[in-house]
Amino acid sequence: MRMLKKNGGRHAPASHSLRTTLVIYLLVGTLLPLLIVGMVSYTSIYSILSGKIGSGISASLRQEALSLENAIDNLDFASKQFALDGQIVAEMSSFLEEKQIYRKSQIMNSINEKINLVNFTNPYIGLTAYIMPGSEDPVLFTNMSTRRNFDISRLPSFMRYNGADYYGPHGTMYAVGDNVVFSERRIVRVNGQHDLYVYLETNYSLLRKIFNPQAYGMQVKHLLVNQDGTATNIIDGQVPARVVDAAGTSTGAAHEELDGYHLFRYESPQGWKLVAVVKKSVFNSEIYTWFYKMILLALLTLLFAGMLAWLIWRRIYGPLRKVNLEIIRMAENVTAPVAFTNVEEFDFVLTNFQQMKDQVNELILAVARNEKQKSQFEIEKLLSQINPHFLHNTLNTVQWLARLNGQKEIDKLVTLLVKVLHYNLGKQSIIVTIGEEIEAIRNYMELQRIRYDYEFEFNVLAEEAVLSAAVPRFLLQPLVENSIYHGLSDNGRVDVIITAHGPGEVQLCVRDNGTGMDEVQIGELLADGEVGKRGLGIGFSYVMRMLRTYYGERMTLQIHSAVGEGTIISIIIPIKGKEDFDD
């Protein structure tokens, strides 16, 4: 498909369609890596896989050999306990020389206990017996019943190791068992002219656990060559005689190929050899399997790439057209909502596009509102400057008329009102000193006392050292105002106490002897910060907001009150100078 784009009356040159490009890219992107990997693998697959398989077989063979070595070492360790331990040897000597039946029975029980104890603590040990060849009953002690034709001389010799003779693999001497085991015979040197040996076998299931063909993941046969190289035992299956003979030959090679078989050798430091035998067809089966899978994978990849390209094209082309239509509609109708495509990625773009349209619409409306409000703000600003100025001038006129007519009380009242208005409506900074706040409070309270005909007392107690500390303006006035309006009755009293509190802190306390509040009212006050606003008061919420704004978590506000006992509001804040505030 070819697309033309108008641009100033000229047509853009035609290019390849997205569908063709997508198909080509997908085919190249999927097949090229597979082709490269296949070619590289084909040239080196044999050496790679044969090395991996050979290493796996060698590792498994070594693990089996180490397990067998460990089993032999366990036999060696246990036999030394039975043959060289002084206490057991002494008991055996006493048993052989003792004539008294009762005493002999006691020694027999002690020896049997020691045999059982050693076997219990060593799970790799099976049948254990003390043997005296040439006797009518050669088996003196044993942890399990033995065969009647018990004869060590007929067992296949395996090696001599650490002063003991080892035999195997052979059938167990356990009377009711048919498992293949390894065994050991070690001489026990006792008093007198007695030929005494200790005989031990490996655990009945140990060889099955050691020589487990499933550990290789393929069919493997084991050949075990004794120390002298004179006997080669086939552990499992059948192996050609030539391969068996070659297994016993000490060539020094860990791996060799012979008559269609791979031989992997392990020579133990104990003197014996373990050989794993694998057919070449079995050994190379994984290589052949890989080769067939690579051919099938290439065909399936080619088919999948073609189908994927077609599906992606179907899935992308429709949403692309919708996105293009939404962009065109943007210029025609900004407020129209976008139509989504039900494709997550495209819908994400369209969602952002819709948010952009909403923001553009909001900005247009905001500009219109701001232009409308701008003139209103200018008028309000002018009125806020004119009204206080006009009020001050009018009060000053009243003040001079009162003085000319000798009206001292009116003169005093107007003077106090002018000072309070100047403090409350003036243009000074929001940050003042405690001294300035106290002076404004005094003027305000004096006005209130005149208003209420001096029905309550007002006192200020402030330490000289904290008067220069800076605080937000109107911090105390709402509190004393609330005491007047909500707390006082006849003969009321309001006290403002300002003292230093701890290092670098000041305590502001407003106390009255009014009606007080209960716990519910205190909780509501602290939670909502709302009180009645009368006269020039601006409310308890203002105090809370100023404290949180300028002091944050460093301030403490407490209310102590009870019904009929008055109210105490205490504020503790850090001492700051005016320069410490961002006014």
Side-chain angles (χ1 to χ4, degrees):
M1 177 181 179
R2 299 184 181 274
M3 301 176 63
L4 298 178
K5 180 180 178 182
K6 293 183 179 180
N7 185 9
R10 297 181 180 178
H11 297 288
S15 59
H16 294 290
S17 68
L18 178 61
R19 180 174 55 187
T20 304
T21 305
L22 187 62
V23 171
I24 294 174
Y25 285 178
L26 276 175
L27 290 177
V28 173
T30 54
L31 290 181
L32 184 60
L34 183 64
L35 181 61
I36 295 175
V37 171
M39 292 177 61
V40 174
S41 300
Y42 182 78
T43 58
S44 58
I45 188 61
Y46 186 83
S47 60
I48 294 174
L49 287 181
S50 62
K52 177 181 75 70
I53 297 171
S55 298
I57 294 176
S58 297
S60 299
L61 181 67
R62 179 178 178 82
Q63 185 63 39
E64 291 176 340
L66 292 177
S67 298
L68 182 57
E69 289 176 354
N70 185 54
I72 293 173
D73 286 334
N74 283 328
L75 287 177
D76 179 64
F77 176 75
S79 68
K80 289 178 179 178
Q81 287 182 287
F82 289 119
L84 302 180
D85 182 82
Q87 185 177 1
I88 298 179
V89 173
E91 288 183 343
M92 286 298 303
S93 299
S94 299
F95 175 81
L96 295 174
E97 296 175 356
E98 183 64 47
K99 303 299 183 183
Q100 187 179 0
I101 297 177
Y102 175 74
R103 176 61 183 158
K104 202 165 188 175
S105 175
Q106 287 182 324
I107 298 174
M108 181 183 299
N109 290 335
S110 176
I111 294 174
N112 284 327
E113 288 178 359
K114 290 181 173 58
I115 292 175
N116 291 330
L117 178 61
V118 173
N119 278 270
F120 177 77
T121 57
N122 195 334
Y124 296 100
I125 303 301
L127 174 65
T128 302
Y130 279 99
I131 308 298
M132 184 177 289
S135 300
E136 182 179 352
D137 186 3
V139 180
L140 299 182
F141 298 95
T142 180
N143 63 334
M144 293 185 288
S145 59
T146 60
R147 299 182 185 274
R148 292 185 178 182
N149 58 346
F150 189 97
D151 187 0
I152 299 178
S153 62
R154 291 186 297 176
L155 298 179
S157 176
F158 185 61
M159 68 174 179
R160 183 165 182 79
Y161 177 65
N162 284 347
D165 296 316
Y166 289 85
Y167 306 93
H170 62 82
T172 178
M173 291 291 106
Y174 179 42
V176 294
D178 57 355
N179 296 286
V180 177
V181 298
F182 280 85
S183 60
E184 175 192 5
R185 185 188 71 170
R186 183 181 294 275
I187 189 170
V188 182
R189 303 191 184 280
V190 294
N191 297 333
Q193 301 297 321
H194 302 287
D195 293 332
L196 182 65
Y197 299 90
V198 61
Y199 174 82
L200 295 95
E201 289 182 355
T202 55
N203 184 283
Y204 70 95
S205 62
L206 184 63
L207 259 65
R208 289 203 305 269
K209 295 179 180 178
I210 292 177
F211 302 111
N212 183 12
Q214 296 179 354
Y216 293 86
M218 62 180 67
Q219 187 177 3
V220 176
K221 298 178 175 59
H222 295 87
L223 303 178
L224 187 63
V225 184
N226 65 1
Q227 189 178 48
D228 300 330
T230 57
T232 301
N233 297 278
I234 304 175
I235 304 298
D236 41 24
Q238 297 294 327
V239 179
R242 193 161 181 269
V243 175
V244 174
D245 294 339
T249 305
S250 180
T251 61
H255 172 232
E256 68 172 324
E257 297 182 22
L258 179 66
D259 293 346
Y261 286 87
H262 288 270
L263 279 68
F264 295 87
R265 290 187 179 86
Y266 174 85
E267 296 190 11
S268 172
Q270 296 174 349
W272 47 270
K273 292 186 286 292
L274 181 63
V275 182
V277 180
V278 185
K279 280 187 177 182
K280 281 188 176 181
S281 58
V282 175
F283 186 86
N284 295 330
S285 61
E286 187 172 350
I287 299 175
Y288 300 149
T289 301
W290 175 90
F291 184 75
Y292 298 143
K293 287 181 178 180
M294 284 296 295
I295 295 176
L296 179 61
L297 181 61
L299 297 176
L300 292 177
T301 302
L302 181 62
L303 178 62
F304 175 76
M307 292 181 60
L308 185 63
W310 181 75
L311 291 174
I312 292 176
W313 164 248
R314 287 283 305 272
R315 192 64 175 168
I316 291 177
Y317 180 67
L320 277 177
R321 292 188 61 187
K322 286 189 177 182
V323 172
N324 184 47
L325 289 175
E326 291 298 331
I327 295 175
I328 295 173
R329 290 175 57 192
M330 175 72 177
E332 299 174 354
N333 189 353
V334 179
T335 60
V338 299
F340 292 100
T341 63
N342 295 325
V343 178
E344 182 178 355
E345 289 75 13
F346 286 105
D347 285 348
F348 177 75
V349 174
L350 290 174
T351 299
N352 292 334
F353 189 71
Q354 179 64 52
Q355 292 177 355
M356 182 191 70
K357 291 175 66 175
D358 294 340
Q359 291 175 356
V360 169
N361 292 331
E362 290 176 1
L363 289 174
I364 293 174
L365 295 176
V367 170
R369 287 194 302 267
N370 291 339
E371 289 297 328
K372 183 177 180 180
Q373 292 175 354
K374 184 177 180 181
S375 59
Q376 296 178 354
F377 290 155
E378 292 294 333
I379 296 173
E380 291 176 2
K381 180 179 178 183
L382 182 60
L383 290 176
S384 66
Q385 294 174 351
I386 293 175
N387 290 339
H389 182 68
F390 172 75
L391 184 58
H392 275 283
N393 291 340
T394 303
L395 289 176
N396 284 332
T397 302
V398 174
Q399 180 183 14
W400 283 108
L401 288 174
R403 288 180 182 177
L404 288 175
N405 294 321
Q407 300 292 332
K408 294 182 179 180
E409 291 183 356
I410 296 176
D411 180 24
K412 179 181 178 182
L413 180 63
V414 174
T415 301
L416 291 173
L417 182 57
V418 169
K419 290 182 179 180
V420 171
L421 289 175
H422 179 73
Y423 184 77
N424 287 3
L425 303 177
K427 298 180 180 180
Q428 60 266 40
S429 171
I430 193 66
I431 303 301
V432 297
T433 64
I434 292 179
E436 293 172 340
E437 183 75 2
I438 290 175
E439 182 63 25
I441 290 297
R442 290 182 189 275
N443 294 332
Y444 173 74
M445 292 303 290
E446 187 63 25
L447 278 176
Q448 295 290 1
R449 292 185 69 211
I450 294 173
R451 175 186 176 185
Y452 289 99
D453 198 16
Y454 298 96
E455 290 180 353
F456 65 88
E457 295 184 11
F458 174 71
N459 297 288
V460 176
L461 176 62
E463 294 182 358
E464 190 71 26
V466 298
L467 293 179
S468 60
V471 293
R473 196 153 56 116
F474 304 124
L475 192 60
L476 295 177
Q477 181 174 311
L479 303 181
V480 297
E481 184 179 16
N482 289 338
S483 296
I484 296 172
Y485 289 137
H486 303 287
L488 294 182
S489 58
D490 294 339
N491 300 320
R493 179 184 179 90
V494 179
D495 296 322
V496 176
I497 304 171
I498 303 175
T499 58
H501 181 275
E505 292 181 335
V506 61
Q507 183 178 31
L508 312 174
C509 183
V510 177
R511 180 177 62 192
D512 66 64
N513 62 347
T515 58
M517 297 180 289
D518 56 24
E519 294 295 332
V520 175
Q521 291 174 314
I522 294 175
E524 293 176 353
L525 189 63
L526 291 175
D528 300 330
E530 294 293 337
V531 295
K533 302 177 177 62
R534 303 178 185 175
L536 296 175
I538 57 175
F540 189 77
S541 60
Y542 168 81
V543 176
M544 293 293 294
R545 186 166 63 253
M546 297 299 285
L547 289 174
R548 292 193 184 103
T549 300
Y550 288 100
Y551 298 101
E553 299 296 329
R554 299 182 61 190
M555 70 85 181
T556 302
L557 188 145
Q558 297 176 338
I559 300 178
H560 302 280
S561 183
V563 177
E565 296 182 5
T567 302
I568 300 175
I569 299 178
S570 175
I571 300 173
I572 300 174
I573 56 177
I575 296 177
K576 291 185 178 182
K578 286 187 175 182
E579 66 278 1
D580 298 327
F581 289 89
D582 183 14
D583 187 4

